[in-house]
Amino acid sequence: MKKLESAFEHMLFASRWLMAPVYFGLILALVVLLVKFGKEVWFLFSHIMSATGSEMIIGVLSLVDIALIMSLLIIIMFSGYENFVSKMEDLHSHADRPEWMGHIGFSDQKIKLIGSIVAISGIELLKAFLNVDNVSDRHLAWMVGIHVTFLVSGVLYALMDRLQGKGH
């Protein structure tokens, strides 16, 4: 029975590698977002003379939005891989290794995730307010409600983290 238990535990431990294709998929998502970013930059520069100020601001906010999402994906990929799959030991001495890499736990990852979601939601809300003539009141109300929900959730996550004694 002990051998069966040991074999099961080894299989369970090895199953963490089933997450590796997920992280590879996130790399592909980064490529897709990079293409989208390039398309947005091209659009901004091709309409630089004809676009209004608010259209330019919305375009720049779209770029910021994509950059935030890409940064969030990097954090999720690095910290998720290191927390759940394998340590990146060969990269500890790499000159470009981010200082936070290897130090973000699951709790920190959740806080960063909700913080990024709130920021992304705020940017989308700001874009809607700048384009208020083309957005229905009902749609805008839903956006505000969802943003407030994300905001309250973020505060509650941070509060729970602090109450557990993990807050910095």
Side-chain angles (χ1 to χ4, degrees):
M1 194 61 155
K2 189 68 176 163
K3 278 188 171 186
L4 184 62
E5 181 182 359
S6 178
F8 178 73
E9 289 171 355
H10 279 85
M11 183 181 65
L12 192 62
F13 184 68
S15 71
R16 73 192 193 281
W17 284 99
L18 294 173
M19 286 295 295
V22 172
Y23 294 115
F24 182 73
L26 292 178
I27 292 169
L28 296 177
L30 281 174
V31 172
V32 169
L33 287 170
L34 182 62
V35 170
K36 175 72 174 163
F37 187 88
K39 185 178 168 187
E40 289 287 332
V41 168
W42 178 259
F43 181 81
L44 271 177
F45 277 103
S46 65
H47 292 83
I48 199 164
M49 297 308 247
S50 62
T52 64
S54 62
E55 288 171 339
M56 279 295 168
I57 292 171
I58 289 171
V60 170
L61 286 174
S62 295
L63 295 177
V64 171
D65 204 13
I66 294 169
L68 279 172
I69 293 169
M70 291 179 79
S71 299
L72 177 63
L73 282 176
I74 292 290
I75 291 170
I76 290 170
M77 287 186 317
F78 284 5
S79 63
Y81 184 84
E82 282 213 331
N83 284 323
F84 301 114
V85 179
S86 180
K87 297 288 181 204
M88 296 185 207
E89 299 292 335
D90 297 343
L91 301 175
H92 279 291
S93 61
H94 196 283
D96 291 333
R97 179 184 163 98
E99 189 175 315
W100 55 264
M101 200 170 145
H103 301 291
I104 293 182
F106 187 62
S107 179
D108 298 325
Q109 191 175 4
K110 286 190 304 186
I111 296 296
K112 289 187 183 314
L113 177 66
I114 194 70
S116 296
I117 289 171
V118 169
I120 291 164
S121 172
I123 289 171
E124 289 300 317
L125 191 57
L126 183 56
K127 287 185 341 190
F129 279 128
L130 288 173
N131 197 18
V132 75
D133 294 337
N134 299 327
V135 180
S136 71
D137 290 345
R138 181 178 177 173
H139 186 76
L140 202 55
W142 273 107
M143 289 181 76
V144 169
I146 291 169
H147 180 70
V148 169
T149 301
F150 287 149
L151 191 61
V152 169
S153 296
V155 170
L156 290 175
Y157 270 123
L159 182 62
M160 287 186 295
D161 198 50
R162 177 155 313 253
L163 290 174
Q164 289 178 340
K166 297 177 185 173
H168 306 295

